[in-house]
Amino acid sequence: MTLTKLNTEQLIEKCRLGNQGAQMEIYNRYYKAMYNTAYRIIKDTAEAEDIMQEAFLTAFTKLAMLQDNKMFGSWLKRIVINSSITISRKNNIHEEVPLEIVEYAIADTEGIVQEEMTTIKAHAVLDTMKQLKKSYSTVLSLYLIEGYDYEEICEILNISYTNCRTLISRAKESLRKKLQVA
């Protein structure tokens, strides 16, 4: 049976045994999604490629830490996101909202623009997200695209729950305004 016909769990077992062909097959299956995840946070193609490559190296060298082979994709994505956030902080790209500025009256609606959202194409939303300030685009990528909840975003960004909710609320509002203008 060729490696391309094996499922991910079987390939991970082969990777644990040092099979480079299995590692290459895993890479081919996941590299685009991991690159896109890094790029949405970093906004630099070369940096996103580096993060993606390093994430695969980290994953393959620390594969013994993975307890459930079925969780490989989410484990790898977590490595990519954490690396992206770390690089972003090192480059002073990510700006946190200080707690003193946080407004406690949070009006978080359920959607971005509920009735208009059906007419707006997904790529237009993604393009508009690129125009937002870095902290807003990062938090919206984690929340709307990657599907992380508030608690997970708090942990990833190392911010308080209140700060997270406010940041997401402000990011959504900024996105709404930019979409209405467009």
Side-chain angles (χ1 to χ4, degrees):
M1 179 177 265
T2 64
L3 292 174
T4 56
K5 294 186 181 186
L6 295 176
N7 66 32
T8 303
E9 293 83 30
Q10 293 168 323
L11 285 169
I12 296 300
E13 278 308 314
K14 289 192 178 291
C15 289
R16 288 180 192 269
L17 300 173
N19 184 318
Q20 291 181 349
Q23 289 176 341
M24 191 63 190
E25 181 60 29
I26 288 290
Y27 176 84
N28 288 334
R29 289 183 185 187
Y30 286 95
Y31 81 93
K32 288 179 185 174
M34 297 307 121
Y35 168 80
N36 289 334
T37 298
Y39 182 75
R40 280 192 294 270
I41 295 170
I42 295 295
K43 308 267 187 294
D44 180 86
T45 56
E47 195 80 59
E49 287 175 10
D50 288 345
I51 289 169
M52 185 247 329
Q53 295 286 339
E54 289 294 324
F56 276 102
L57 289 173
T58 300
F60 289 139
T61 57
K62 297 187 178 189
L63 205 49
M65 296 175 65
L66 180 64
Q67 296 174 0
D68 184 359
N69 290 350
K70 293 178 183 176
M71 299 302 293
F72 179 79
S74 60
W75 182 64
L76 180 61
K77 184 183 271 190
R78 177 66 85 162
I79 293 170
V80 169
I81 289 173
N82 288 342
S83 298
S84 299
I85 297 293
T86 300
I87 296 296
S88 179
R89 284 186 179 141
K90 284 181 183 175
N91 294 337
N92 290 326
I93 293 171
H94 178 75
E95 299 173 10
E96 292 184 27
V97 176
L99 191 56
E100 296 80 33
I101 298 175
V102 174
E103 296 176 12
Y104 290 98
I106 299 172
D108 189 12
T109 60
E110 290 186 29
I112 296 171
V113 181
Q114 292 172 350
E115 62 266 355
E116 293 179 19
M117 195 61 190
T118 56
T119 61
I120 298 173
K121 300 207 183 275
H123 73 285
V125 173
L126 292 174
D127 289 342
T128 305
M129 281 177 61
K130 291 177 187 174
Q131 298 171 14
L132 298 175
K133 68 184 204 177
K134 297 289 183 186
S135 59
Y136 287 178
S137 65
T138 299
V139 77
L140 282 179
S141 290
L142 292 172
Y143 184 67
L144 298 174
I145 298 170
E146 303 300 334
Y148 287 104
D149 62 21
Y150 290 141
E151 290 84 8
E152 292 169 321
I153 294 171
C154 291
E155 184 180 318
I156 290 168
L157 297 178
N158 195 25
I159 58 176
S160 70
Y161 184 83
T162 305
N163 198 354
C164 179
R165 286 187 53 93
T166 301
L167 189 59
I168 291 172
S169 178
R170 289 179 181 174
K172 284 181 179 179
E173 185 59 31
S174 179
L175 183 60
R176 273 188 206 100
K177 287 178 182 175
K178 287 189 182 293
L179 287 171
Q180 288 173 347
V181 171

